Amino acid sequence: MGKEGDRVQAAAASVAVIAASEGLDALLKLLQRGGYRTIGPKVRDGAVVLEDVSRADELPLGLIDDQQPGAYRLSQAKTPAYFDFTHGSQSWKRYLFPPKEKLWSAQKTNKGFEVQHDVDAPKYAFIGVRACELNAIAIQDKVFIEGDHVNTSYRERREKALIVALNCRRAGGTCFCASMNAGPKVERGYDLALTELTGKNGHSFLIEAGSEQGEKILAKLDARPATPADLKAAAKAVDQAAQSMGREMPKSARKILSKNLESAHWQDVAKRCLDCANCTLVCPTCFCNTTTDSTSLDGQNAERWRQWDSCFTLDFSYIHGGAIRREGSQRYRQWITHKLASWHEQFGVSGCVGCGRCITWCPVGIDITAEVRALAKGK
Amino acid sequence: MAAQKISAKPKLAVWKFSSCDGCQLSLLGCEDELLAVADRVEFAYFLEATRAQIKGPYDISLVEGSITTAEEEERIHKIRRQSKVLITIGACATAGGIQALKNFADVDEFIRTVYAHPEFIKTLQKSTAIADHVKVDMELRGCPIDKKQLLEVLGAYLIGRKPNLPDQSQCMECKLAGTVCVMVAKGQACLGPVTHAGCGNLCPSFDRGCYGCFGPKELPNTSALAARLGELGLDDKQRRDLFRTFNTAAAPFMKESLNYD
Ligand code: SF4
Ligand code: SF4
Ligand code: SF4
């Protein structure tokens, strides 16, 4: 999560402009021809979700989202753009670290049993990865790849994945990435980055390469060189997103939490919190998981699966003698202090990128930034 | 019920109390898997499937239905004595079922109003769960139960492992399946945040809020949800009725519904 750095402008060849629909279509085709499974935003059941996208006209053109604590609605925008909505509840974690994954299976044989282990690792190209998401992926990389215990299937999917990032022009109602130094401008970790341009000069995308692979793809696109006016318009658009961000995480969140482990406020949150686990499952950095075993009725086959878990369940803290975090207050405290405080000690960064998902998708609208402020006041 | 010694072909019995038979039918509804089940267990008593009746004791008893008569009260004790493992199946058996709505009313008055010959009706004042009468080893929630969960329990028993029946929220099933939350995205009333997982994410994936068929999850915060439902526009009666369905007599749901009486 870097500081606001200078846009990479030096190499003119790596910044260009493509036409909106045709350019996106060409990019998607090119990636598919390169063997990529292209995943991007689509609308399903009233929300933006991440699914297979093969053509630009499958993207939700002209929609924006209204996000509030516990509420999400889509509506028509005044200016039709491809990416002016922000993210829905799903994040790319769904693809890199799937909700359920078979780890291995075993089949009984005459001599004993045989173990099978297949990794499901398609070659993904992610279209429209926002700054907060890039930072979230970098955090999950730390957890799954950079530690002592490597999650090999995550690593395989991650290494194969191509990232087409996106600069936000508009902040969602619950976003606070700016105060987490995690957006809205994409800084690193992408192959290509798009900034949507709408205005007098028509509808187009500024496209920048961030890797060698990105350069190669860009070279094959029908693009014109970017003019200083294009660069200015793009910079202005991202600025606008930063300016329109209505939420903020207090700078001293880590300290506030560490100092308030015994605050009476935890009881207050527990009265409102449903322990439903939505916040953890929509969070793009939450990585907790559990393994379950299953067996076939005839006893010939056994499987071990990994699936998302959450610190909001009782089972999660179950050890010999029972669950250790029996109270809702303990579970909420565990979550937020891990996210914002002990994550630093564990991984050297905050566990929050300010995407706001946990605020929007909490059925009762509990707001992580508001809870930190309330704790600071000692309420 | 974990690592106990299991006889060659365990004897399975399926018992019915006050219920609609829907849960037993889930077992018949297993179709493909039913043959595999029949291969591994002996259906010693299962009137929906076979007239053969083999005497107890039984290795596994699946019990459907609630206790609503004095005769049933007596019979469940007999069954318990004959069963090594007793598993209750469905909302009637685990919570008293929809018929527990009578627990909130004057039953004698009901009988007088509904039946031409009230003198033939012998019923208890309340519909109660099996666990209110005998020790239950495991419960399978739902109205009706989920076939996959039933097979999971039987499969786990046969191999001697712990079955996977998490007590967590329905919301977790939504998020694992990638279903868009109907409460957040549409403002619909949903009992998912206080409801036990297990149905396989049925209603929300069909764009309906959860009705709570699987009953309360572990430590459900019903009052926080009810407060939110009020903000979404539900009046007291609507909130009461939401908690007062198949699991109306499950303690947390009952308590919450009484707040809106
Ligand atoms: S804690 Fe909330 S705001 Fe922060 S990254 Fe997770 S979901 Fe986003
Ligand atoms: S904070 Fe909200 S989303 Fe998270 S467990 Fe509590 S009620 Fe559920
Ligand atoms: S639809 Fe209901 S069960 Fe699903 S996440 Fe939303 S509140 Fe929870």
Side-chain angles (χ1 to χ4, degrees):
Chain A
M1 262 168 265
K3 292 242 162 62
E4 279 290 297
D6 285 336
R7 186 178 291 271
V8 192
Q9 289 177 0
S14 62
V15 191
V17 172
I18 55 172
S21 331
E22 301 83 353
L24 275 184
D25 254 341
L27 175 61
L28 287 168
K29 278 215 188 73
L30 200 61
L31 293 171
Q32 283 151 22
R33 252 184 273 134
Y36 284 103
R37 196 176 140 192
T38 44
I39 312 285
K42 269 191 180 170
V43 169
R44 173 168 45 85
D45 298 328
V48 169
V49 292
L50 299 173
E51 286 177 355
D52 288 272
V53 169
S54 47
R55 295 186 319 269
D57 64 9
E58 292 173 16
L59 295 166
L61 180 70
L63 286 183
I64 48 167
D65 49 5
D66 176 17
Q67 301 203 33
Q68 300 300 330
Y72 177 101
R73 297 291 184 277
L74 286 173
S75 62
Q76 289 295 326
K78 283 198 202 92
T79 323
Y82 278 104
F83 293 102
D84 273 353
F85 49 83
T86 59
H87 41 59
S89 70
Q90 300 181 350
S91 68
W92 307 96
K93 151 171 133 173
R94 220 179 159 75
Y95 290 94
L96 292 172
F97 169 50
K100 284 186 186 168
E101 181 176 18
K102 197 201 284 176
L103 296 178
W104 49 262
S105 60
Q107 186 72 33
K108 240 189 196 157
T109 62
N110 294 337
K111 290 184 202 129
F113 61 90
E114 223 164 66
V115 173
Q116 257 193 347
H117 168 66
D118 312 301
V119 175
D120 184 23
K123 211 171 132 185
Y124 288 124
F126 297 148
I127 314 296
V129 183
R130 292 159 198 275
C132 59
E133 310 264 28
L134 284 174
N135 284 297
I137 293 172
I139 290 174
Q140 289 217 324
D141 286 352
K142 276 182 192 292
V143 176
F144 291 133
I145 306 180
E146 290 160 29
D148 292 338
H149 307 285
V150 174
N151 177 331
T152 49
S153 56
Y154 175 93
R155 184 176 59 192
E156 200 178 325
R157 287 185 288 267
R158 178 70 177 97
E159 280 169 357
K160 285 185 187 169
L162 183 126
I163 292 183
V164 180
L166 178 85
N167 281 304
C168 291
R169 310 200 302 174
R170 186 188 150 263
T174 54
C175 293
F176 59 98
C177 63
S179 61
M180 299 309 294
N181 280 332
K185 182 169 165 303
V186 301
E187 302 281 353
R188 62 180 67 76
Y190 57 86
D191 296 291
L192 289 164
L194 301 171
T195 312
E196 194 159 11
L197 301 172
T198 50
K200 297 191 290 294
N201 302 326
H203 193 180
S204 57
F205 283 98
L206 187 82
I207 180 164
E208 304 164 63
S211 73
E212 230 174 87
Q213 212 178 354
E215 301 271 4
K216 278 191 206 144
I217 294 167
L218 184 46
K220 288 188 194 147
L221 288 172
D222 183 11
R224 66 162 172 82
T227 65
D230 295 325
L231 297 175
K232 213 173 131 194
K236 200 176 143 203
V238 188
D239 264 359
Q240 239 168 33
Q243 297 309 322
S244 65
M245 208 158 300
R247 264 189 176 66
E248 204 182 348
M249 177 64 82
K251 284 271 167 291
S252 49
R254 181 181 179 183
K255 219 160 95 204
I256 295 170
L257 286 162
S258 307
K259 275 178 34 194
N260 280 288
L261 294 178
E262 302 303 332
S263 169
H265 184 68
W266 301 119
Q267 300 301 331
D268 178 83
V269 192
K271 277 196 204 114
R272 290 173 278 133
C273 175
L274 305 163
D275 291 312
C276 62
N278 275 305
C279 48
T280 51
L281 303 187
V282 296
C283 178
T285 71
C286 274
F287 55 82
C288 284
N289 56 81
T290 184
T291 48
T292 56
D293 294 337
S294 67
T295 43
S296 64
L297 278 169
D298 62 8
Q300 297 298 304
N301 184 273
E303 292 177 351
R304 172 156 292 182
W305 287 74
R306 170 168 52 216
Q307 71 174 53
W308 290 354
D309 199 0
S310 168
C311 49
F312 280 94
T313 73
L314 270 187
D315 249 3
F316 187 82
S317 71
Y318 190 93
I319 52 165
H320 172 74
I324 50 172
R325 286 191 283 270
R326 295 217 41 100
E327 304 298 323
S329 56
Q330 296 167 321
R331 293 199 288 272
Y332 188 85
R333 181 181 65 182
Q334 159 65 28
W335 178 67
I336 194 173
T337 44
H338 188 210
K339 273 288 100 153
L340 299 171
S342 49
W343 206 291
H344 284 278
E345 286 137 45
Q346 206 178 354
F347 302 110
V349 287
S350 169
C352 174
V353 296
C355 73
R357 283 189 180 87
C358 57
I359 306 174
T360 302
W361 299 96
C362 169
V364 289
I366 291 174
D367 175 345
I368 186 172
T369 64
E371 297 311 323
V372 172
R373 273 193 300 276
L375 279 165
K377 279 195 205 135
K379 271 204 301 192
Chain B
M1 73 179 251
Q4 52 190 289
K5 195 145 172 33
I6 293 157
S7 56
K9 217 174 177 190
K11 276 157 81 180
L12 177 89
V14 184
W15 309 99
K16 177 186 157 64
F17 288 80
S18 293
S19 60
C20 77
D21 280 29
C23 289
Q24 296 189 49
L25 290 176
S26 311
L27 183 52
L28 287 180
C30 288
E31 292 172 3
D32 298 345
E33 300 91 341
L34 191 62
L35 288 176
V37 175
D39 222 30
R40 303 294 310 278
V41 302
E42 182 174 18
F43 285 109
Y45 185 94
F46 185 14
L47 292 185
E48 286 276 6
T50 163
R51 252 181 290 171
Q53 293 182 25
I54 298 167
K55 276 211 173 122
Y58 306 99
D59 293 288
I60 316 171
S61 277
L62 299 178
V63 178
E64 176 196 87
S66 70
I67 304 296
T68 58
T69 66
E71 177 273 330
E72 286 180 338
E73 215 173 354
E74 217 173 280
R75 188 158 60 95
I76 190 59
H77 282 100
K78 273 194 205 142
I79 290 169
R80 174 70 267 190
R81 280 196 295 275
Q82 296 185 72
S83 310
K84 281 193 200 150
V85 172
L86 189 151
I87 304 170
T88 47
I89 58 169
C92 298
T94 60
I98 188 88
Q99 58 274 28
L101 281 172
K102 75 173 186 175
N103 300 7
F104 300 86
D106 178 348
V107 174
D108 295 327
E109 195 190 310
F110 265 14
I111 294 173
R112 278 197 305 276
T113 322
V114 174
Y115 297 97
H117 290 283
E119 63 275 19
F120 293 138
I121 306 296
K122 284 205 186 72
T123 181
L124 299 171
Q125 289 295 317
K126 287 194 163 138
S127 169
T128 45
I130 300 297
D132 292 343
H133 303 268
V134 295
K135 180 178 164 277
V136 168
D137 298 302
M138 190 183 306
E139 50 180 38
L140 269 185
R141 304 285 198 85
C143 182
I145 53 166
D146 177 70
K147 150 184 151 176
K148 276 204 211 112
Q149 285 207 328
L150 179 60
L151 291 170
E152 166 66 11
V153 164
L154 293 177
Y157 174 85
L158 288 167
I159 213 112
R161 67 171 168 85
K162 191 174 158 248
N164 292 312
L165 299 172
D167 289 330
Q168 63 213 20
S169 70
Q170 180 51 229
C171 297
M172 284 192 74
E173 295 209 300
C174 269
K175 289 296 177 287
L176 264 78
T179 304
V180 172
C181 174
V182 301
M183 189 136 118
V184 170
K186 307 237 166 92
Q188 285 185 26
C190 181
L191 284 184
V194 296
T195 298
H196 199 280
C199 68
N201 191 225
L202 208 48
C203 290
S205 68
F206 284 95
D207 209 8
R208 299 293 300 260
C210 165
Y211 291 100
C213 309
F214 275 59
K217 76 167 182 78
E218 61 189 14
L219 309 176
N221 191 346
T222 51
S223 54
L225 180 65
R228 178 66 180 159
L229 294 175
E231 288 166 14
L232 291 178
L234 270 69
D235 63 23
D236 284 3
K237 183 177 177 305
Q238 286 169 314
R239 281 185 279 184
R240 185 196 71 187
D241 291 349
L242 206 53
F243 284 103
R244 207 166 272 182
T245 61
F246 324 99
N247 287 282
T248 183
F253 283 9
M254 182 167 78
K255 212 170 129 235
E256 195 56 45
S257 80
L258 286 171
N259 287 339
Y260 299 96
D261 243 343

